[in-house]
Amino acid sequence: ISYLLQLDIFTFYPMTNKLLLVLACLTSLICSTMCLSKGGESYVRDACSVTRYQDLCLHSLASFSRTAKDNPSKWARAGVSVTISQAKGVTQSLLKLRKQNFLKGKGRVAILDCVDCLQDALDNLHNSLGVLRKLSSQTFNDQMGDVTTWLSAALTDEDTCLDGLEDKKRKQVKLLLNKVTNVSYMTSNALALVNKLATTGPQCLENSK
């Protein structure tokens, strides 16, 4: 009996140690994942703190936390980039709506004008992103002036589009109105991120590639 008891004890402890080791590893992995997640959330929250539409900013830019971290230049590029993607999608929706026959008279003219406005906005957004991708410490202030001018012009284009969409009772127009509004909010957020970059200065460009 004594021999069997000893055998059971020696058999039990190695199993217990293995179990404890596995649990320790799992705990460490979970903690690391949580810390990484919290760190990423901290980065995007800090970046979006300067924006007007913070919930939208957090939702649209959360995936950039790992790469942008605390670099204002990367956040500014990210803000403009996601806005371009959204604006392209809305422009495609407008082009499809333009082909439908249910819009007549002023409604059709408003859609045509809105398409032109969003295409102008896209040009301004693309110009902004092009400059943000090749910032230089020597011409930083001039580049920031150009980018803020283009983004402000994009906002004006989007507001002009919204002003022309009068027939808000139609379901298609109402959905379109919401989409354009969303683009204008994202453009506003992108402009805020660019303004933060301009305030920070060219010293943040060292690690922005």
Side-chain angles (χ1 to χ4, degrees):
I1 297 173
S2 174
Y3 172 77
L4 290 175
L5 182 58
Q6 279 188 330
L7 183 61
D8 286 343
I9 291 173
F10 283 118
T11 304
F12 173 74
Y13 276 126
M15 290 298 293
T16 303
N17 290 338
K18 288 180 181 179
L19 181 60
L20 290 175
L21 182 61
V22 171
L23 289 175
C25 291
L26 287 174
T27 302
S28 176
L29 179 61
I30 292 171
C31 288
S32 298
T33 303
M34 289 177 65
C35 290
L36 179 61
S37 177
K38 288 181 179 179
E41 183 180 350
S42 176
Y43 286 133
V44 70
R45 285 193 177 279
D46 180 63
C48 291
S49 64
V50 299
T51 63
R52 184 175 182 181
Y53 308 100
Q54 293 191 20
D55 289 342
L56 177 61
C57 180
L58 292 170
H59 176 73
S60 61
L61 298 183
S63 62
F64 292 90
S65 288
R66 286 178 177 270
T67 53
K69 295 185 178 180
D70 58 356
N71 191 294
S73 177
K74 292 182 178 180
W75 282 116
R77 290 204 304 264
V80 176
S81 180
V82 296
T83 304
I84 288 174
S85 297
Q86 191 72 14
K88 283 182 178 179
V90 177
T91 303
Q92 292 300 316
S93 298
L94 276 165
L95 291 171
K96 290 179 181 179
L97 190 60
R98 185 183 64 177
K99 296 177 181 179
Q100 297 180 15
N101 294 325
F102 75 90
L103 286 173
K104 304 291 183 181
K106 291 183 179 180
R108 185 170 181 80
V109 172
I111 293 297
L112 293 173
D113 290 343
C114 198
V115 169
D116 290 338
C117 287
L118 281 189
Q119 287 177 336
D120 286 340
L122 272 170
D123 288 340
N124 288 315
L125 288 166
H126 278 296
N127 289 336
S128 300
L129 185 59
V131 171
L132 289 172
R133 284 174 171 168
K134 51 183 180 181
L135 291 174
S136 167
S137 57
Q138 287 78 23
T139 57
F140 181 80
N141 291 331
D142 289 337
Q143 288 176 313
M144 287 294 95
D146 290 339
V147 173
T148 53
T149 298
W150 284 322
L151 290 179
S152 297
L155 267 176
T156 300
D157 289 328
E158 291 151 9
D159 289 341
T160 302
C161 170
L162 290 169
D163 291 340
L165 297 176
E166 299 177 352
D167 192 3
K168 301 175 184 178
K169 293 181 179 180
R170 290 183 179 273
K171 183 179 179 180
Q172 292 89 337
V173 176
K174 188 175 182 180
L175 289 173
L176 186 60
L177 186 68
N178 291 336
K179 290 181 179 180
V180 177
T181 299
N182 191 62
V183 171
S184 70
Y185 289 171
M186 293 178 72
T187 305
S188 172
N189 286 346
L191 180 57
L193 293 171
V194 167
N195 286 332
K196 181 178 181 179
L197 169 60
T199 302
T200 304
Q203 63 267 24
C204 68
L205 301 181
E206 294 180 4
N207 300 317
S208 63
K209 301 301 183 182

